[in-house]
Amino acid sequence: MWIGTRMAMAVVATGMGGAGSATVPGSFAYGIDPAHARVQAKVGFFGLGSKTARFPRLEGRVALSERDAQAVTLDVRIDAQALEAGDSLTRSRLRGPDFFDVERYPRVIFHGSTMTRTGPHSAQVAGTITARGVTRPATLAVDFSRDFSAMTGREPVHIAASTRIDRRDFGMIAYPLIVGRQVTITIDADLVPGRD
């Protein structure tokens, strides 16, 4: 779970405790505030209800530029080992080898390569998601709390993003008659100006 005259977005992950990257020249720098950021993954269960995994830890940086509304570099890292669920059995299964296999693959990564504005404060960011060592195409629908034309790089901005993936594309094929194929991923995060 990404402007005004013409603005591009570049996001470079710091890693889960790693060092930051250089800011894109001519860009506004933002950092994802780890204390106000979360990711959820929701999947159908028995065709009647759903199960939700929560990923409370993610880090990254965002830079917005006036130069090119379609240019995007986006790399955000999500700590899969921090995965939480509604009960201990679900949490154990989702962390285990049938699903996220967090011991072998401790990170989920989104990399964006193209952004298309769809409204005054919304955009589609196309790129890839990597989970369980598998990389597949994905597109995030992103809503910003401010109109693109009002962003200056000096104010905090909230983003809400979502995408849908097929879990089988990432090798998560267990329990096909119980757990749905389509997974809806949502991201809510506060962006803090000039934060590494």
Side-chain angles (χ1 to χ4, degrees):
M1 212 73 31
W2 222 179
I3 293 179
T5 52
R6 281 179 67 80
M7 196 162 274
M9 180 168 129
V11 180
V12 181
T14 61
M16 305 306 295
S21 261
T23 301
V24 176
S27 64
F28 301 148
Y30 292 89
I32 294 176
D33 182 355
H36 299 93
R38 65 177 183 175
V39 175
Q40 292 192 151
K42 186 175 182 180
V43 65
F45 190 69
F46 275 113
L48 300 172
S50 63
K51 293 283 187 178
T52 299
R54 297 179 299 278
F55 301 86
R57 298 207 311 237
L58 64 151
E59 292 187 359
R61 295 185 70 245
V62 178
L64 301 173
S65 170
E66 294 183 333
R67 297 183 178 178
D68 184 351
Q70 293 186 337
V72 174
T73 302
L74 190 153
D75 291 293
V76 174
R77 292 177 184 257
I78 299 163
D79 185 353
Q81 291 183 315
L83 182 156
E84 290 294 339
D87 60 84
S88 59
L89 179 59
T90 299
R91 182 180 65 229
S92 176
R93 285 179 174 169
L94 290 176
R95 288 182 178 182
D98 286 335
F99 290 95
F100 286 94
D101 198 0
V102 301
E103 291 299 319
R104 295 178 61 197
Y105 306 104
R107 305 286 180 259
V108 175
I109 300 169
F110 182 84
H111 171 76
S113 55
T114 306
M115 183 172 77
T116 303
R117 284 171 48 181
T118 56
H121 52 79
S122 62
Q124 297 276 338
V125 177
T128 59
I129 288 181
T130 301
R132 278 178 54 101
V134 177
T135 300
R136 292 286 185 267
T139 300
L140 282 176
V142 186
D143 283 315
F144 296 81
S145 62
R146 294 178 179 268
D147 286 359
F148 297 139
S149 60
M151 292 184 187
T152 67
R154 296 187 297 272
E155 67 289 302
V157 177
H158 181 83
I159 60 169
S162 64
T163 190
R164 181 174 286 187
I165 63 170
D166 186 330
R167 68 184 180 96
R168 299 175 308 169
D169 290 342
F170 299 88
M172 302 182 197
I173 60 175
Y175 308 105
L177 301 180
I178 299 173
V179 180
R181 292 165 42 186
Q182 298 298 314
V183 181
T184 300
I185 299 170
T186 57
I187 301 171
D188 283 283
D190 286 347
L191 305 182
V192 181
R195 186 164 180 170
D196 291 330

